[in-house]
Amino acid sequence: MLSHHDRQELEKIERWFELTEPALAARLRSGKPARPPLLRSAVVLTLDVIAGLLMLLGMVLNSPALLLTGMITVTTAVIVHLSRFGRD
C-alpha cells in the first residue's frame, strides 16, 4: 500500500502527463497496446518468407549454400522477432 505522500506524488505525475502529453495519457488510461509499425511488420514478414523459401529450396535442390543461407536468414529473423527493432 502506498503512503499518502506517495499517492500525492503519483497524482502530480499523472496531472503533468495529462497536461504535457494528453495522447500518451489517454493511451495509458485505455490500456490498449500500440500497434506495431508497418515497417516492422513488413520487415519481419519478408524475413520469415525469405528464410522459409531459402531453406526449402536448399533442401529440394540439395544445395548446402542455400541451406546455410536459409539458416542464417532464420537466425536473423529470430533476432528481429525478439529485438526491439522498429518499436518506439
Side-chain angles (χ1 to χ4, degrees):
M1 199 71 181
L2 296 175
S3 68
H4 180 68
H5 174 71
D6 290 340
R7 279 184 296 211
Q8 284 180 333
E9 291 299 313
L10 285 174
E11 287 172 4
K12 285 180 189 177
I13 293 170
E14 183 180 352
R15 283 192 301 272
W16 177 80
F17 263 117
E18 288 175 354
L19 290 174
T20 59
E21 295 286 339
L24 176 61
R27 188 180 308 157
L28 290 172
R29 201 175 303 111
S30 72
K32 295 179 184 174
R35 293 183 56 203
L38 187 58
L39 175 64
R40 175 181 167 71
S41 299
V43 167
V44 169
L45 182 63
T46 303
L47 273 174
D48 292 343
V49 169
I50 289 173
L53 288 175
L54 284 173
M55 291 201 49
L56 182 64
L57 201 59
M59 287 186 279
V60 168
L61 297 178
N62 200 18
S63 170
L66 280 176
L67 195 57
L68 179 63
T69 305
M71 288 180 186
I72 291 170
T73 309
V74 166
T75 305
T76 305
V78 168
I79 290 169
V80 170
H81 275 283
L82 297 177
S83 74
R84 294 190 52 85
F85 169 78
R87 293 183 200 165
D88 246 82

